[in-house]
Coordinates of all heavy atoms in Angstrom, one line a residue:
E1228 N 3.0 14.5 3.4 CA 3.9 15.3 2.6 C 5.2 14.7 2.3 O 5.8 14.8 1.2 CB 4.1 16.7 3.2 CG 2.9 17.6 3.2 CD 3.2 18.9 3.8 OE1 4.3 19.1 4.4 OE2 2.3 19.7 3.9
T1229 N 5.7 13.9 3.2 CA 7.1 13.4 3.1 C 7.1 11.9 2.8 O 8.1 11.2 2.9 CB 7.9 13.6 4.3 OG1 7.3 12.9 5.5 CG2 8.1 15.1 4.7
I1230 N 6.0 11.3 2.4 CA 5.9 9.9 2.2 C 6.7 9.5 1.0 O 6.8 10.2 0.0 CB 4.4 9.4 2.1 CG1 4.4 7.8 2.3 CG2 3.8 9.8 0.8 CD1 2.9 7.4 2.6
D1231 N 7.3 8.3 1.0 CA 8.1 7.8 -0.1 C 7.2 7.2 -1.1 O 6.7 6.0 -1.1 CB 9.0 6.7 0.5 CG 9.8 6.0 -0.6 OD1 10.0 6.6 -1.7 OD2 10.4 4.9 -0.3
L1232 N 6.8 8.0 -2.1 CA 5.8 7.6 -3.1 C 6.3 6.5 -4.0 O 5.6 5.6 -4.4 CB 5.4 8.8 -4.0 CG 4.6 9.8 -3.3 CD1 4.3 11.0 -4.3 CD2 3.3 9.3 -2.8
S1233 N 7.7 6.5 -4.3 CA 8.2 5.4 -5.1 C 8.1 4.1 -4.4 O 7.8 3.0 -4.9 CB 9.6 5.7 -5.6 OG 10.4 5.8 -4.5
G1234 N 8.3 4.1 -3.0 CA 8.3 2.9 -2.2 C 6.8 2.4 -2.1 O 6.5 1.2 -2.2
L1235 N 5.9 3.3 -2.1 CA 4.5 3.0 -2.0 C 4.1 2.3 -3.3 O 3.3 1.3 -3.4 CB 3.6 4.2 -1.8 CG 2.1 4.0 -1.6 CD1 1.8 3.1 -0.5 CD2 1.4 5.4 -1.5
I1236 N 4.5 2.8 -4.5 CA 4.2 2.3 -5.8 C 4.8 0.9 -5.9 O 4.2 -0.1 -6.5 CB 4.6 3.2 -6.9 CG1 3.8 4.5 -6.9 CG2 4.6 2.5 -8.3 CD1 4.2 5.6 -7.8
K1237 N 6.0 0.7 -5.4 CA 6.7 -0.6 -5.5 C 5.9 -1.6 -4.7 O 5.7 -2.8 -5.2 CB 8.1 -0.6 -4.9 CG 9.1 0.1 -5.8 CD 10.4 0.1 -5.2 CE 11.4 0.9 -6.0 NZ 12.7 0.9 -5.3
E1238 N 5.3 -1.3 -3.5 CA 4.6 -2.2 -2.7 C 3.3 -2.5 -3.4 O 2.9 -3.7 -3.4 CB 4.2 -1.6 -1.4 CG 5.4 -1.3 -0.5 CD 6.2 -2.6 -0.2 OE1 5.7 -3.7 -0.2 OE2 7.5 -2.5 0.0
C1239 N 2.6 -1.6 -4.1 CA 1.4 -1.9 -4.8 C 1.7 -2.8 -6.0 O 0.9 -3.7 -6.4 CB 0.8 -0.6 -5.2 SG 0.1 0.4 -3.9
A1240 N 2.8 -2.6 -6.7 CA 3.2 -3.4 -7.8 C 3.5 -4.9 -7.4 O 3.0 -5.8 -8.0 CB 4.4 -2.8 -8.5
R1241 N 4.1 -5.0 -6.2 CA 4.3 -6.4 -5.7 C 3.0 -7.0 -5.3 O 2.7 -8.2 -5.6 CB 5.1 -6.3 -4.4 CG 6.6 -6.0 -4.7 CD 7.3 -6.0 -3.4 NE 8.7 -5.5 -3.5 CZ 9.3 -4.7 -2.7 NH1 8.8 -4.5 -1.6 NH2 10.5 -4.3 -3.0
H1242 N 2.0 -6.2 -4.8 CA 0.7 -6.7 -4.5 C 0.0 -7.2 -5.8 O -0.7 -8.2 -5.8 CB -0.1 -5.7 -3.7 CG -1.4 -6.2 -3.2 ND1 -1.5 -7.2 -2.3 CD2 -2.7 -5.9 -3.6 CE1 -2.8 -7.4 -2.0 NE2 -3.5 -6.7 -2.8
L1243 N 0.1 -6.4 -6.8 CA -0.5 -6.8 -8.1 C 0.1 -8.1 -8.7 O -0.7 -8.9 -9.2 CB -0.4 -5.7 -9.1 CG -1.3 -4.4 -8.9 CD1 -0.9 -3.3 -9.9 CD2 -2.7 -4.8 -9.0
R1244 N 1.4 -8.3 -8.5 CA 2.0 -9.5 -9.0 C 1.4 -10.8 -8.1 O 1.1 -11.8 -8.7 CB 3.5 -9.4 -8.9 CG 4.1 -8.7 -10.0 CD 5.6 -9.0 -10.1 NE 6.3 -8.6 -8.8 CZ 6.8 -7.4 -8.6 NH1 6.7 -6.5 -9.4 NH2 7.5 -7.2 -7.4
D1245 N 1.2 -10.5 -6.8 CA 0.7 -11.5 -6.0 C -0.8 -11.9 -6.4 O -1.1 -13.0 -6.4 CB 0.7 -11.1 -4.5 CG 2.1 -11.0 -4.0 OD1 3.1 -11.7 -4.6 OD2 2.4 -10.4 -3.0
L1246 N -1.6 -10.8 -6.7 CA -2.9 -11.1 -7.2 C -2.9 -11.9 -8.5 O -3.7 -12.8 -8.7 CB -3.6 -9.7 -7.5 CG -4.0 -9.0 -6.3 CD1 -4.6 -7.6 -6.6 CD2 -4.9 -9.7 -5.3
E1247 N -2.0 -11.6 -9.4 CA -1.9 -12.4 -10.6 C -1.5 -13.8 -10.3 O -2.0 -14.8 -10.9 CB -0.8 -11.8 -11.5 CG -1.2 -10.5 -12.1 CD -0.1 -9.8 -12.9 OE1 1.0 -10.3 -12.9 OE2 -0.4 -8.8 -13.5
S1248 N -0.6 -14.0 -9.3 CA -0.2 -15.4 -8.9 C -1.4 -16.2 -8.3 O -1.6 -17.3 -8.6 CB 0.9 -15.4 -7.9 OG 2.1 -14.8 -8.5
A1249 N -2.2 -15.4 -7.5 CA -3.3 -16.1 -6.9 C -4.4 -16.4 -8.0 O -5.0 -17.5 -7.9 CB -4.0 -15.1 -5.9
S1250 N -4.5 -15.6 -9.0 CA -5.4 -15.9 -10.1 C -5.0 -17.1 -10.8 O -5.8 -18.0 -11.2 CB -5.5 -14.7 -11.0 OG -6.2 -15.0 -12.2
L1251 N -3.7 -17.2 -11.0 CA -3.1 -18.4 -11.7 C -3.3 -19.7 -10.9 O -3.8 -20.7 -11.5 CB -1.6 -18.2 -12.0 CG -0.9 -19.2 -12.8 CD1 -1.5 -19.3 -14.2 CD2 0.6 -18.9 -13.0
L1252 N -3.1 -19.6 -9.6 CA -3.3 -20.7 -8.7 C -4.8 -21.2 -8.8 O -5.1 -22.4 -8.9 CB -3.0 -20.4 -7.3 CG -1.4 -20.4 -7.0 CD1 -1.3 -19.8 -5.5 CD2 -0.9 -21.9 -7.0
K1253 N -5.6 -20.2 -8.7 CA -7.1 -20.5 -8.8 C -7.5 -21.2 -10.1 O -8.2 -22.2 -10.1 CB -7.9 -19.3 -8.5 CG -9.4 -19.6 -8.3 CD -10.1 -18.3 -7.9 CE -11.5 -18.6 -7.5 NZ -12.2 -17.4 -7.0

Side-chain angles (χ1 to χ4, degrees):
E1228 287 178 358
T1229 62
I1230 197 163
D1231 177 18
L1232 291 177
S1233 61
L1235 182 63
I1236 291 170
K1237 284 180 187 176
E1238 294 302 331
C1239 292
R1241 288 182 190 144
H1242 186 66
L1243 285 175
R1244 283 195 302 270
D1245 292 336
L1246 290 176
E1247 290 172 357
S1248 297
S1250 171
L1251 185 61
L1252 281 171
K1253 192 172 184 177

